Amino acid sequence: MKSFAPIVIVLALASAYGFWYQRSRGKIRVAHTAADSALNAAILGEPLGSRATLVQFSSAFCTPCRATRTLLESVVAEMSDVRHVDIDAEEHLDLVRKLDIRSTPTTLILNSQGVEVGRAVGAPKRDQVLTALAALR
Amino acid sequence: MTQATSKKVSHTTVTIDARGPRFSAAITVVVLSIALITNSIWVLAFQALVFGIGALRGPQFTPYSVIFRKFVRPRLKGEVPTEDVRPPKFAQTVGLVFALVGIAGLAISAPIIFTIATSAALAAAFLNAAFNYCLGCEIYLLLLRLR
Protein backbone atom coordinates (compact mmCIF):
# COMPACT_ATOMS: atom_id res chain seq x y z
CA MET A 1 0.00 0.00 0.00
CA LYS A 2 1.41 3.36 -1.02
CA SER A 3 0.82 6.44 1.10
CA PHE A 4 2.15 9.97 0.76
CA ALA A 5 0.75 11.22 4.08
CA PRO A 6 3.76 10.37 6.33
CA ILE A 7 6.34 11.95 4.02
CA VAL A 8 4.31 15.15 3.60
CA ILE A 9 3.93 15.47 7.40
CA VAL A 10 7.63 14.71 8.06
CA LEU A 11 8.96 17.18 5.49
CA ALA A 12 6.55 19.93 6.64
CA LEU A 13 7.47 19.54 10.33
CA ALA A 14 11.21 19.20 9.59
CA SER A 15 11.12 22.34 7.40
CA ALA A 16 9.40 24.37 10.14
CA TYR A 17 11.96 23.17 12.69
CA GLY A 18 14.81 23.76 10.23
CA PHE A 19 13.91 27.42 9.69
CA TRP A 20 13.65 27.96 13.46
CA TYR A 21 16.99 26.14 13.91
CA GLN A 22 18.78 28.32 11.37
CA ARG A 23 17.33 31.54 12.83
CA SER A 24 18.03 30.72 16.48
CA ARG A 25 21.50 29.14 16.28
CA GLY A 26 24.32 31.51 17.18
CA LYS A 27 22.08 34.31 18.47
CA ILE A 28 23.24 35.79 21.79
CA ARG A 29 20.41 35.94 24.30
CA VAL A 30 20.58 38.13 27.39
CA ALA A 31 20.69 36.07 30.57
CA HIS A 32 19.32 37.26 33.90
CA THR A 33 21.31 35.14 36.31
CA ALA A 34 21.39 35.60 40.08
CA ALA A 35 24.72 37.02 41.31
CA ASP A 36 25.11 34.18 43.82
CA SER A 37 25.26 31.61 41.00
CA ALA A 38 28.47 33.16 39.63
CA LEU A 39 31.14 30.90 38.14
CA ASN A 40 34.73 31.10 39.32
CA ALA A 41 38.19 29.74 38.57
CA ALA A 42 37.68 26.77 40.92
CA ILE A 43 34.56 25.64 39.02
CA LEU A 44 35.95 26.27 35.52
CA GLY A 45 39.48 25.05 36.21
CA GLU A 46 40.89 28.19 34.56
CA PRO A 47 41.10 31.82 35.74
CA LEU A 48 38.45 34.36 34.69
CA GLY A 49 39.21 37.40 32.53
CA SER A 50 39.39 40.65 34.50
CA ARG A 51 36.59 42.20 32.40
CA ALA A 52 34.81 39.24 30.82
CA THR A 53 35.12 35.50 30.12
CA LEU A 54 33.76 33.51 27.15
CA VAL A 55 33.00 29.98 28.37
CA GLN A 56 32.51 27.57 25.44
CA PHE A 57 31.05 24.09 25.94
CA SER A 58 32.17 21.63 23.22
CA SER A 59 31.70 17.95 22.45
CA ALA A 60 33.23 15.32 20.18
CA PHE A 61 30.29 15.03 17.76
CA CYS A 62 30.06 18.74 17.00
CA THR A 63 31.14 20.25 13.70
CA PRO A 64 30.62 23.98 14.53
CA CYS A 65 32.58 23.68 17.82
CA ARG A 66 35.87 23.98 15.93
CA ALA A 67 34.81 27.14 14.06
CA THR A 68 33.50 28.62 17.33
CA ARG A 69 36.82 27.92 19.06
CA THR A 70 38.75 29.60 16.23
CA LEU A 71 36.42 32.63 16.28
CA LEU A 72 36.48 33.15 20.06
CA GLU A 73 40.26 32.63 20.27
CA SER A 74 40.76 35.33 17.64
CA VAL A 75 38.36 37.68 19.47
CA VAL A 76 40.14 37.40 22.83
CA ALA A 77 43.60 37.58 21.21
CA GLU A 78 43.06 41.35 20.82
CA MET A 79 41.75 41.85 24.38
CA SER A 80 44.02 41.32 27.38
CA ASP A 81 41.11 41.59 29.85
CA VAL A 82 38.88 38.92 28.22
CA ARG A 83 39.59 35.18 28.37
CA HIS A 84 38.25 32.23 26.38
CA VAL A 85 37.70 28.94 28.22
CA ASP A 86 36.85 25.82 26.18
CA ILE A 87 35.20 23.08 28.27
CA ASP A 88 34.57 19.48 27.16
CA ALA A 89 30.90 19.09 28.12
CA GLU A 90 31.24 15.31 28.41
CA GLU A 91 33.85 15.65 31.15
CA HIS A 92 31.80 18.19 33.12
CA LEU A 93 28.27 16.78 33.15
CA ASP A 94 27.49 18.16 36.63
CA LEU A 95 28.28 21.68 35.43
CA VAL A 96 26.34 21.01 32.21
CA ARG A 97 23.26 20.02 34.22
CA LYS A 98 23.61 22.92 36.67
CA LEU A 99 23.87 25.47 33.83
CA ASP A 100 21.26 23.61 31.73
CA ILE A 101 23.51 23.28 28.65
CA ARG A 102 21.52 21.24 26.10
CA SER A 103 23.61 21.32 22.94
CA THR A 104 27.08 22.20 21.71
CA PRO A 105 28.59 24.61 21.07
CA THR A 106 27.03 26.75 23.80
CA THR A 107 28.93 29.90 24.76
CA LEU A 108 28.34 31.76 28.02
CA ILE A 109 29.41 35.40 28.37
CA LEU A 110 30.48 36.09 31.95
CA ASN A 111 31.05 39.56 33.42
CA SER A 112 34.02 40.43 35.64
CA GLN A 113 32.27 38.82 38.63
CA GLY A 114 31.75 35.52 36.78
CA VAL A 115 27.99 36.10 36.44
CA GLU A 116 26.43 34.91 33.16
CA VAL A 117 25.06 37.93 31.27
CA GLY A 118 24.52 36.30 27.85
CA ARG A 119 24.41 32.95 26.14
CA ALA A 120 24.71 31.80 22.52
CA VAL A 121 23.54 28.33 21.47
CA GLY A 122 25.31 27.34 18.24
CA ALA A 123 28.24 29.11 16.56
CA PRO A 124 28.01 32.83 17.45
CA LYS A 125 28.66 35.72 15.05
CA ARG A 126 31.79 37.81 15.54
CA ASP A 127 30.01 41.21 15.54
CA GLN A 128 27.46 40.01 18.11
CA VAL A 129 30.22 38.77 20.41
CA LEU A 130 32.05 42.10 20.06
CA THR A 131 28.83 44.04 20.81
CA ALA A 132 28.13 41.93 23.90
CA LEU A 133 31.70 42.38 25.15
CA ALA A 134 31.65 46.14 24.50
CA ALA A 135 28.68 46.44 26.89
CA LEU A 136 30.75 45.00 29.76
CA ARG A 137 33.07 47.17 31.86
CA MET B 1 36.19 7.56 23.05
CA THR B 2 39.44 8.93 24.37
CA GLN B 3 40.26 12.52 25.18
CA ALA B 4 43.84 13.76 25.29
CA THR B 5 43.24 16.01 28.29
CA SER B 6 40.41 16.47 30.73
CA LYS B 7 39.56 20.06 29.89
CA LYS B 8 40.32 20.70 26.23
CA VAL B 9 38.58 18.76 23.50
CA SER B 10 41.07 16.67 21.55
CA HIS B 11 42.14 18.28 18.26
CA THR B 12 44.04 15.40 16.67
CA THR B 13 41.32 13.81 14.54
CA VAL B 14 40.64 12.70 10.97
CA THR B 15 39.05 15.44 8.86
CA ILE B 16 37.08 15.01 5.62
CA ASP B 17 35.50 17.25 2.97
CA ALA B 18 32.47 18.66 4.84
CA ARG B 19 30.39 18.76 1.63
CA GLY B 20 30.52 14.94 1.31
CA PRO B 21 28.22 14.10 4.25
CA ARG B 22 25.75 16.79 3.19
CA PHE B 23 25.58 15.42 -0.37
CA SER B 24 25.19 11.90 1.08
CA ALA B 25 22.34 13.18 3.28
CA ALA B 26 20.54 14.42 0.15
CA ILE B 27 20.70 10.93 -1.43
CA THR B 28 19.60 9.45 1.91
CA VAL B 29 16.53 11.73 1.81
CA VAL B 30 15.56 10.31 -1.61
CA VAL B 31 16.13 6.66 -0.58
CA LEU B 32 14.26 6.98 2.73
CA SER B 33 11.40 8.81 0.96
CA ILE B 34 11.03 5.88 -1.44
CA ALA B 35 11.10 3.46 1.53
CA LEU B 36 8.41 5.47 3.32
CA ILE B 37 6.12 5.88 0.29
CA THR B 38 6.33 2.23 -0.82
CA ASN B 39 6.51 0.73 2.71
CA SER B 40 9.43 -1.32 1.41
CA ILE B 41 11.56 -3.26 3.88
CA TRP B 42 14.17 -3.85 1.13
CA VAL B 43 14.72 -0.17 0.40
CA LEU B 44 15.13 0.49 4.14
CA ALA B 45 17.45 -2.53 4.43
CA PHE B 46 19.65 -1.05 1.66
CA GLN B 47 19.81 2.27 3.51
CA ALA B 48 20.59 0.41 6.75
CA LEU B 49 23.56 -1.20 4.97
CA VAL B 50 24.80 2.24 3.87
CA PHE B 51 24.31 3.62 7.42
CA GLY B 52 26.21 0.57 8.71
CA ILE B 53 29.24 1.32 6.53
CA GLY B 54 29.12 4.98 7.59
CA ALA B 55 28.77 4.12 11.27
CA LEU B 56 31.44 1.40 11.44
CA ARG B 57 34.04 2.39 8.80
CA GLY B 58 33.22 6.07 8.42
CA PRO B 59 30.97 8.32 6.29
CA GLN B 60 33.73 8.75 3.68
CA PHE B 61 33.48 5.03 2.75
CA THR B 62 29.76 4.80 1.87
CA PRO B 63 28.64 4.33 -1.78
CA TYR B 64 27.08 7.83 -1.65
CA SER B 65 30.45 9.25 -0.67
CA VAL B 66 32.07 7.42 -3.61
CA ILE B 67 29.54 9.09 -5.95
CA PHE B 68 30.41 12.44 -4.34
CA ARG B 69 34.16 11.95 -4.84
CA LYS B 70 33.91 10.63 -8.41
CA PHE B 71 31.21 12.85 -9.93
CA VAL B 72 30.45 15.83 -7.68
CA ARG B 73 33.69 17.00 -6.08
CA PRO B 74 35.57 17.44 -9.40
CA ARG B 75 32.86 19.94 -10.43
CA LEU B 76 32.97 21.98 -7.20
CA LYS B 77 35.11 25.10 -7.03
CA GLY B 78 36.48 27.15 -4.18
CA GLU B 79 38.08 26.39 -0.87
CA VAL B 80 37.42 22.89 0.50
CA PRO B 81 35.63 23.10 3.86
CA THR B 82 36.83 20.32 6.17
CA GLU B 83 35.18 18.78 9.19
CA ASP B 84 35.99 16.28 11.90
CA VAL B 85 34.83 12.81 10.79
CA ARG B 86 33.26 12.03 14.19
CA PRO B 87 30.07 14.17 13.96
CA PRO B 88 28.87 12.64 10.63
CA LYS B 89 29.91 9.19 11.87
CA PHE B 90 27.74 9.72 14.94
CA ALA B 91 24.82 10.79 12.72
CA GLN B 92 25.24 7.62 10.60
CA THR B 93 25.09 5.54 13.81
CA VAL B 94 21.83 7.21 14.86
CA GLY B 95 20.47 6.59 11.33
CA LEU B 96 21.47 2.92 11.57
CA VAL B 97 19.60 2.51 14.87
CA PHE B 98 16.41 4.03 13.39
CA ALA B 99 16.72 1.89 10.22
CA LEU B 100 17.15 -1.31 12.24
CA VAL B 101 14.15 -0.42 14.43
CA GLY B 102 12.11 0.20 11.26
CA ILE B 103 13.13 -3.15 9.76
CA ALA B 104 12.26 -4.91 13.05
CA GLY B 105 8.86 -3.17 12.98
CA LEU B 106 7.91 -4.62 9.60
CA ALA B 107 9.41 -8.00 10.52
CA ILE B 108 7.08 -8.29 13.52
CA SER B 109 4.11 -6.98 11.46
CA ALA B 110 4.00 -3.60 13.22
CA PRO B 111 4.02 -1.15 10.27
CA ILE B 112 3.47 1.86 12.55
CA ILE B 113 6.97 1.24 14.04
CA PHE B 114 8.38 1.13 10.49
CA THR B 115 6.66 4.42 9.61
CA ILE B 116 7.79 6.26 12.78
CA ALA B 117 11.41 5.03 12.68
CA THR B 118 11.83 5.71 8.94
CA SER B 119 10.23 9.15 9.40
CA ALA B 120 12.69 10.01 12.19
CA ALA B 121 15.69 9.00 10.06
CA LEU B 122 14.25 10.92 7.08
CA ALA B 123 13.71 14.06 9.19
CA ALA B 124 17.32 14.00 10.42
CA ALA B 125 18.74 13.43 6.90
CA PHE B 126 16.52 16.18 5.45
CA LEU B 127 17.56 18.67 8.18
CA ASN B 128 21.21 17.82 7.51
CA ALA B 129 20.90 18.23 3.72
CA ALA B 130 18.68 21.34 3.70
CA PHE B 131 19.76 23.22 6.84
CA ASN B 132 23.26 21.88 7.59
CA TYR B 133 21.80 20.43 10.80
CA CYS B 134 24.32 18.99 13.26
CA LEU B 135 22.61 15.97 14.89
CA GLY B 136 25.51 15.27 17.26
CA CYS B 137 25.42 18.86 18.54
CA GLU B 138 21.75 18.64 19.38
CA ILE B 139 21.24 15.17 20.84
CA TYR B 140 24.58 13.81 22.13
CA LEU B 141 24.65 15.98 25.26
CA LEU B 142 20.97 15.26 25.96
CA LEU B 143 21.71 11.51 25.75
CA LEU B 144 24.65 11.93 28.15
CA ARG B 145 22.48 13.92 30.56
CA LEU B 146 20.04 11.00 30.77
CA ARG B 147 22.73 8.88 32.44
mmCIF file of all heavy atoms in Angstrom, chain B residues 70-92:
data_model
loop_
_atom_site.group_PDB
_atom_site.id
_atom_site.type_symbol
_atom_site.label_atom_id
_atom_site.label_comp_id
_atom_site.label_asym_id
_atom_site.label_seq_id
_atom_site.Cartn_x
_atom_site.Cartn_y
_atom_site.Cartn_z
ATOM 1 N N LYS B 70 33.666 10.887 -6.996
ATOM 2 C CA LYS B 70 33.905 10.632 -8.412
ATOM 3 C C LYS B 70 33.242 11.667 -9.315
ATOM 4 O O LYS B 70 33.813 12.082 -10.324
ATOM 5 C CB LYS B 70 33.389 9.237 -8.786
ATOM 6 C CG LYS B 70 34.345 8.130 -8.401
ATOM 7 C CD LYS B 70 34.069 6.919 -9.270
ATOM 8 C CE LYS B 70 35.334 6.159 -9.594
ATOM 9 N NZ LYS B 70 35.136 4.722 -9.723
ATOM 10 N N PHE B 71 32.001 12.053 -8.987
ATOM 11 C CA PHE B 71 31.209 12.850 -9.926
ATOM 12 C C PHE B 71 30.902 14.275 -9.467
ATOM 13 O O PHE B 71 30.670 15.144 -10.293
ATOM 14 C CB PHE B 71 29.890 12.127 -10.239
ATOM 15 C CG PHE B 71 30.089 10.764 -10.807
ATOM 16 C CD1 PHE B 71 29.880 9.633 -10.041
ATOM 17 C CD2 PHE B 71 30.532 10.613 -12.127
ATOM 18 C CE1 PHE B 71 30.085 8.361 -10.567
ATOM 19 C CE2 PHE B 71 30.739 9.351 -12.661
ATOM 20 C CZ PHE B 71 30.523 8.215 -11.888
ATOM 21 N N VAL B 72 30.868 14.504 -8.162
ATOM 22 C CA VAL B 72 30.454 15.830 -7.685
ATOM 23 C C VAL B 72 31.653 16.710 -7.341
ATOM 24 O O VAL B 72 31.757 17.841 -7.812
ATOM 25 C CB VAL B 72 29.519 15.709 -6.451
ATOM 26 C CG1 VAL B 72 29.065 17.080 -5.987
ATOM 27 C CG2 VAL B 72 28.319 14.828 -6.791
ATOM 28 N N ARG B 73 32.578 16.176 -6.552
ATOM 29 C CA ARG B 73 33.685 17.004 -6.084
ATOM 30 C C ARG B 73 34.522 17.598 -7.217
ATOM 31 O O ARG B 73 34.937 18.760 -7.128
ATOM 32 C CB ARG B 73 34.574 16.226 -5.106
ATOM 33 C CG ARG B 73 35.507 17.157 -4.338
ATOM 34 C CD ARG B 73 36.069 16.524 -3.107
ATOM 35 N NE ARG B 73 36.909 15.382 -3.400
ATOM 36 C CZ ARG B 73 37.491 14.637 -2.466
ATOM 37 N NH1 ARG B 73 37.302 14.923 -1.193
ATOM 38 N NH2 ARG B 73 38.236 13.619 -2.786
ATOM 39 N N PRO B 74 34.781 16.832 -8.320
ATOM 40 C CA PRO B 74 35.567 17.442 -9.404
ATOM 41 C C PRO B 74 34.901 18.667 -10.008
ATOM 42 O O PRO B 74 35.569 19.499 -10.619
ATOM 43 C CB PRO B 74 35.663 16.305 -10.441
ATOM 44 C CG PRO B 74 35.459 15.058 -9.664
ATOM 45 C CD PRO B 74 34.499 15.416 -8.570
ATOM 46 N N ARG B 75 33.573 18.798 -9.846
ATOM 47 C CA ARG B 75 32.858 19.935 -10.428
ATOM 48 C C ARG B 75 32.721 21.107 -9.454
ATOM 49 O O ARG B 75 32.232 22.173 -9.838
ATOM 50 C CB ARG B 75 31.459 19.486 -10.883
ATOM 51 C CG ARG B 75 31.485 18.575 -12.087
ATOM 52 C CD ARG B 75 30.119 17.997 -12.369
ATOM 53 N NE ARG B 75 30.085 17.306 -13.662
ATOM 54 C CZ ARG B 75 30.568 16.083 -13.884
ATOM 55 N NH1 ARG B 75 31.122 15.419 -12.887
ATOM 56 N NH2 ARG B 75 30.505 15.523 -15.081
ATOM 57 N N LEU B 76 33.099 20.917 -8.194
ATOM 58 C CA LEU B 76 32.973 21.985 -7.200
ATOM 59 C C LEU B 76 34.213 22.863 -7.219
ATOM 60 O O LEU B 76 35.329 22.385 -7.378
ATOM 61 C CB LEU B 76 32.779 21.397 -5.800
ATOM 62 C CG LEU B 76 31.485 20.616 -5.566
ATOM 63 C CD1 LEU B 76 31.496 19.979 -4.184
ATOM 64 C CD2 LEU B 76 30.267 21.508 -5.735
ATOM 65 N N LYS B 77 33.979 24.157 -7.072
ATOM 66 C CA LYS B 77 35.108 25.100 -7.031
ATOM 67 C C LYS B 77 35.239 25.674 -5.631
ATOM 68 O O LYS B 77 34.403 25.461 -4.776
ATOM 69 C CB LYS B 77 34.879 26.230 -8.033
ATOM 70 C CG LYS B 77 34.850 25.770 -9.486
ATOM 71 C CD LYS B 77 34.802 27.000 -10.405
ATOM 72 C CE LYS B 77 34.421 26.608 -11.809
ATOM 73 N NZ LYS B 77 32.955 26.424 -11.945
ATOM 74 N N GLY B 78 36.303 26.446 -5.441
ATOM 75 C CA GLY B 78 36.483 27.155 -4.175
ATOM 76 C C GLY B 78 37.204 26.348 -3.127
ATOM 77 O O GLY B 78 37.606 25.212 -3.358
ATOM 78 N N GLU B 79 37.353 26.990 -1.975
ATOM 79 C CA GLU B 79 38.078 26.389 -0.871
ATOM 80 C C GLU B 79 37.318 25.164 -0.342
ATOM 81 O O GLU B 79 36.098 25.177 -0.270
ATOM 82 C CB GLU B 79 38.210 27.428 0.241
ATOM 83 C CG GLU B 79 39.429 27.224 1.109
ATOM 84 C CD GLU B 79 39.558 28.348 2.132
ATOM 85 O OE1 GLU B 79 39.445 29.524 1.716
ATOM 86 O OE2 GLU B 79 39.742 28.048 3.312
ATOM 87 N N VAL B 80 38.053 24.109 -0.014
ATOM 88 C CA VAL B 80 37.424 22.888 0.497
ATOM 89 C C VAL B 80 37.183 23.033 1.993
ATOM 90 O O VAL B 80 38.132 23.144 2.767
ATOM 91 C CB VAL B 80 38.321 21.654 0.228
ATOM 92 C CG1 VAL B 80 37.706 20.410 0.866
ATOM 93 C CG2 VAL B 80 38.514 21.453 -1.258
ATOM 94 N N PRO B 81 35.896 23.051 2.426
ATOM 95 C CA PRO B 81 35.631 23.097 3.864
ATOM 96 C C PRO B 81 35.836 21.712 4.464
ATOM 97 O O PRO B 81 35.353 20.725 3.914
ATOM 98 C CB PRO B 81 34.164 23.533 3.938
ATOM 99 C CG PRO B 81 33.559 23.062 2.662
ATOM 100 C CD PRO B 81 34.654 22.962 1.635
ATOM 101 N N THR B 82 36.589 21.627 5.553
ATOM 102 C CA THR B 82 36.826 20.325 6.170
ATOM 103 C C THR B 82 36.054 20.222 7.480
ATOM 104 O O THR B 82 35.695 21.238 8.076
ATOM 105 C CB THR B 82 38.320 20.106 6.463
ATOM 106 O OG1 THR B 82 38.762 21.133 7.352
ATOM 107 C CG2 THR B 82 39.127 20.119 5.197
ATOM 108 N N GLU B 83 35.776 18.984 7.867
ATOM 109 C CA GLU B 83 35.178 18.781 9.189
ATOM 110 C C GLU B 83 35.708 17.492 9.788
ATOM 111 O O GLU B 83 36.141 16.579 9.092
ATOM 112 C CB GLU B 83 33.647 18.785 9.132
ATOM 113 C CG GLU B 83 33.020 17.505 8.601
ATOM 114 C CD GLU B 83 31.494 17.487 8.758
ATOM 115 O OE1 GLU B 83 30.982 17.967 9.771
ATOM 116 O OE2 GLU B 83 30.834 16.972 7.846
ATOM 117 N N ASP B 84 35.661 17.456 11.120
ATOM 118 C CA ASP B 84 35.988 16.276 11.897
ATOM 119 C C ASP B 84 35.070 15.138 11.443
ATOM 120 O O ASP B 84 33.879 15.336 11.222
ATOM 121 C CB ASP B 84 35.749 16.632 13.372
ATOM 122 C CG ASP B 84 36.196 15.541 14.331
ATOM 123 O OD1 ASP B 84 36.309 14.380 13.904
ATOM 124 O OD2 ASP B 84 36.426 15.851 15.496
ATOM 125 N N VAL B 85 35.620 13.943 11.281
ATOM 126 C CA VAL B 85 34.833 12.814 10.794
ATOM 127 C C VAL B 85 33.847 12.305 11.849
ATOM 128 O O VAL B 85 32.854 11.653 11.534
ATOM 129 C CB VAL B 85 35.776 11.681 10.313
ATOM 130 C CG1 VAL B 85 36.363 10.916 11.498
ATOM 131 C CG2 VAL B 85 35.054 10.731 9.376
ATOM 132 N N ARG B 86 34.078 12.619 13.128
ATOM 133 C CA ARG B 86 33.262 12.032 14.193
ATOM 134 C C ARG B 86 31.804 12.495 14.205
ATOM 135 O O ARG B 86 30.915 11.652 14.413
ATOM 136 C CB ARG B 86 33.917 12.286 15.560
ATOM 137 C CG ARG B 86 35.221 11.511 15.734
ATOM 138 C CD ARG B 86 35.898 11.847 17.043
ATOM 139 N NE ARG B 86 36.234 13.263 17.123
ATOM 140 C CZ ARG B 86 36.673 13.868 18.223
ATOM 141 N NH1 ARG B 86 36.834 13.188 19.335
ATOM 142 N NH2 ARG B 86 36.965 15.149 18.215
ATOM 143 N N PRO B 87 31.499 13.793 13.968
ATOM 144 C CA PRO B 87 30.073 14.172 13.959
ATOM 145 C C PRO B 87 29.246 13.444 12.896
ATOM 146 O O PRO B 87 28.189 12.874 13.231
ATOM 147 C CB PRO B 87 30.108 15.687 13.739
ATOM 148 C CG PRO B 87 31.432 16.113 14.293
ATOM 149 C CD PRO B 87 32.368 14.993 13.961
ATOM 150 N N PRO B 88 29.676 13.391 11.600
ATOM 151 C CA PRO B 88 28.868 12.639 10.635
ATOM 152 C C PRO B 88 28.831 11.138 10.922
ATOM 153 O O PRO B 88 27.828 10.480 10.641
ATOM 154 C CB PRO B 88 29.536 12.931 9.285
ATOM 155 C CG PRO B 88 30.871 13.479 9.592
ATOM 156 C CD PRO B 88 30.759 14.142 10.930
ATOM 157 N N LYS B 89 29.893 10.603 11.514
ATOM 158 C CA LYS B 89 29.905 9.185 11.868
ATOM 159 C C LYS B 89 28.861 8.906 12.957
ATOM 160 O O LYS B 89 28.157 7.887 12.916
ATOM 161 C CB LYS B 89 31.313 8.799 12.369
ATOM 162 C CG LYS B 89 31.583 7.316 12.351
ATOM 163 C CD LYS B 89 33.048 7.027 12.665
ATOM 164 C CE LYS B 89 33.279 5.534 12.712
ATOM 165 N NZ LYS B 89 34.657 5.182 13.050
ATOM 166 N N PHE B 90 28.753 9.830 13.895
ATOM 167 C CA PHE B 90 27.735 9.717 14.942
ATOM 168 C C PHE B 90 26.336 9.749 14.331
ATOM 169 O O PHE B 90 25.466 8.941 14.685
ATOM 170 C CB PHE B 90 27.914 10.873 15.942
ATOM 171 C CG PHE B 90 26.833 10.945 16.988
ATOM 172 C CD1 PHE B 90 26.873 10.126 18.108
ATOM 173 C CD2 PHE B 90 25.777 11.841 16.863
ATOM 174 C CE1 PHE B 90 25.881 10.186 19.073
ATOM 175 C CE2 PHE B 90 24.779 11.909 17.823
ATOM 176 C CZ PHE B 90 24.831 11.086 18.933
ATOM 177 N N ALA B 91 26.132 10.668 13.370
ATOM 178 C CA ALA B 91 24.817 10.788 12.718
ATOM 179 C C ALA B 91 24.462 9.503 11.967
ATOM 180 O O ALA B 91 23.303 9.064 11.967
ATOM 181 C CB ALA B 91 24.813 11.988 11.776
ATOM 182 N N GLN B 92 25.474 8.883 11.309
ATOM 183 C CA GLN B 92 25.245 7.619 10.598
ATOM 184 C C GLN B 92 24.828 6.517 11.581
ATOM 185 O O GLN B 92 23.990 5.671 11.263
ATOM 186 C CB GLN B 92 26.528 7.189 9.863
ATOM 187 C CG GLN B 92 26.951 8.117 8.741
ATOM 188 C CD GLN B 92 26.112 7.914 7.494
ATOM 189 O OE1 GLN B 92 26.045 6.829 6.940
ATOM 190 N NE2 GLN B 92 25.453 8.975 7.062
#
